[in-house]
Amino acid sequence: VRPVRVLVTGASGQVGSELVAHLSSRRARLEVLGVSSAHVDVGSREAVNEVFDQFRPSIAFHLAAMTQVDACESEAERAFRVNAWGTRNVVAAAEAVGARVVYVSTDYVFDGTSDRPYHEWDPPKPINVYGASKLGGEMELRPEDACVRISWVSGAHGNNIVRTVLKLLAQGQELSFVTDQVGCPTFTFDLAPVLALIGLEGLSGIFHVTNQGPTSWYGFAREIAAQSGAEPDRIKPVLTKDLVPPRPARRPANSVLANTAIKFAGIDPLPDWRESLPRLLAEIGPVPAA
Ligand SMILES: NC(=O)c1ccc[n+]([C@@H]2O[C@H](COP(=O)([O-])OP(=O)(O)OC[C@H]3O[C@@H](n4cnc5c(N)ncnc54)[C@H](OP(=O)(O)O)[C@@H]3O)[C@@H](O)[C@H]2O)c1
């Protein structure tokens, strides 16, 4: 039996490295090729065509993105080139070899003004360049492709709030986190199996996939402190409007994604993030102050 060929863009990233490890560890016969910007710039149509033409995947998990939300404000052209045009290139190359695409998108496609969690059929309305460019990528997908929106990601490989809090606590600092942005943390080891399932089962359409349990960045940081044995009161509350200096990109106040479509598809929801946090803390291990 010929193995199923699976291409992963953004393979050196937080989510990509976990997804490649997960796919490679599955017993099913998969041939996995992970690429990062050093191998293939998704903004280059020729480079994308070349890797699809040579590897001929049947599934492409497209995770590559310019993810620096604040830098996207001042580098909008680069953000759209990578996130929107890059996705157009991936979809066109997939079409040429008969591959389906699983595109990973973001809670930042919403404006955050809803008084309830956003479900998959809510109209997007981004309030920053990153969100607009990722929505541009969504608009490139075909009916047979899948779009998986995730939020507030942390994993063992990469910089994220968990690592930041651990480092600043080790430095003996007091830290402030905002109370008026609410979302659902998502851990890469819980996300990767569901991403893989959506791709390998051939599901199409939009899916919101996050760990369960809304919290603010303040609530998240306090729990990281508490579960790592530090005093939670070292985390101080602050309002977004009082941040000094203010951050260049606006963020949605409500980033909570209702995981409605995976429920309808009969896929188990990811655990509450508080239950999964001990595993991530163990995987990250002690973080030095330096
Ligand atoms: N992190 C979050 O909180 C979050 C939340 C919602 C959605 N997402 C989405 O989830 C996906 C994965 O995010 P992540 O946190 O794993 O990202 P990440 O750690 O920042 O990694 C980004 C990946 O994209 C690659 N990349 C960047 N520019 C590229 C280019 N021009 N051509 C090819 N590859 C390029 C990077 O390769 P190099 O290492 O070579 O630069 C890296 O592998 C992204 O699509 C992101 O928009 C993330």
Side-chain angles (χ1 to χ4, degrees):
V1 184
R2 199 173 152 264
V4 174
R5 294 220 175 113
V6 179
L7 180 72
V8 180
T9 72
S12 55
Q14 237 187 156
V15 180
S17 52
E18 191 90 42
L19 181 65
V20 168
H22 175 77
L23 291 168
S24 307
S25 72
R26 286 174 61 104
R27 255 176 288 161
R29 285 167 60 82
L30 300 178
E31 200 176 319
V32 184
L33 176 64
V35 293
S36 65
S37 68
H39 309 110
V40 181
D41 172 11
V42 294
S44 158
R45 173 153 286 203
E46 295 70 31
V48 173
N49 282 344
E50 194 179 318
V51 71
F52 273 81
D53 197 42
Q54 284 176 2
F55 186 58
R56 303 195 83 75
S58 50
I59 307 167
F61 290 92
H62 175 40
L63 282 59
M66 178 176 175
T67 57
Q68 303 91 327
V69 176
D70 289 316
C72 286
E73 292 298 304
S74 53
E75 294 179 66
E77 186 168 323
R78 186 173 148 224
F80 275 88
R81 183 174 178 275
V82 177
N83 297 349
W85 175 252
T87 305
R88 182 176 299 190
N89 292 339
V90 167
V91 171
E95 174 76 16
V97 300
R100 280 182 305 101
V101 175
V102 179
Y103 171 66
V104 175
S105 191
T106 170
D107 51 324
Y108 282 14
V109 297
F110 295 114
D111 68 5
T113 57
S114 174
D115 56 7
R116 59 159 175 77
Y118 286 94
H119 61 60
E120 289 83 349
W121 295 273
D122 279 319
K125 191 181 175 200
I127 55 171
N128 58 41
V129 171
Y130 168 73
S133 66
K134 290 292 294 183
L135 179 61
E138 290 190 9
M139 291 163 64
E140 300 296 338
L141 301 174
R142 305 158 298 174
E144 64 264 42
D145 296 325
C147 169
V148 182
R149 296 193 187 124
I150 61 177
S151 63
W152 295 27
V153 175
S154 297
H157 317 283
N159 287 319
N160 51 56
I161 181 179
V162 180
R163 201 174 276 281
T164 301
V165 168
L166 294 175
K167 186 167 140 191
L168 294 175
L169 287 171
Q171 290 171 353
Q173 299 195 27
E174 281 197 348
L175 337 166
S176 299
F177 283 88
V178 295
T179 52
D180 55 355
Q181 291 170 32
V182 175
C184 290
T186 304
F187 298 142
T188 55
F189 49 74
D190 287 327
L191 171 67
V194 177
L195 261 182
L197 189 102
I198 288 171
L200 298 174
E201 296 283 318
L203 302 180
S204 58
I206 300 173
F207 295 88
H208 290 175
V209 183
T210 65
N211 280 91
Q212 305 306 295
T215 188
S216 64
W217 289 109
Y218 168 72
F220 192 6
R222 278 181 73 91
E223 187 69 17
I224 297 163
Q227 287 203 21
S228 62
E231 174 49 59
D233 288 344
R234 287 174 62 193
I235 313 291
K236 304 294 179 199
V238 65
L239 292 172
T240 304
K241 70 174 177 52
D242 296 329
L243 283 175
V244 183
R247 301 180 78 180
R250 284 175 67 204
R251 266 87 172 158
N254 174 16
S255 262
V256 181
L257 300 180
N259 291 197
T260 311
I262 59 165
K263 185 166 81 185
F264 290 163
I267 299 171
D268 287 339
L270 273 54
D272 190 293
W273 64 273
R274 291 173 193 82
E275 287 168 27
S276 288
L277 184 57
R279 174 169 166 193
L280 182 57
L281 291 172
E283 285 188 7
I284 290 178
V287 174

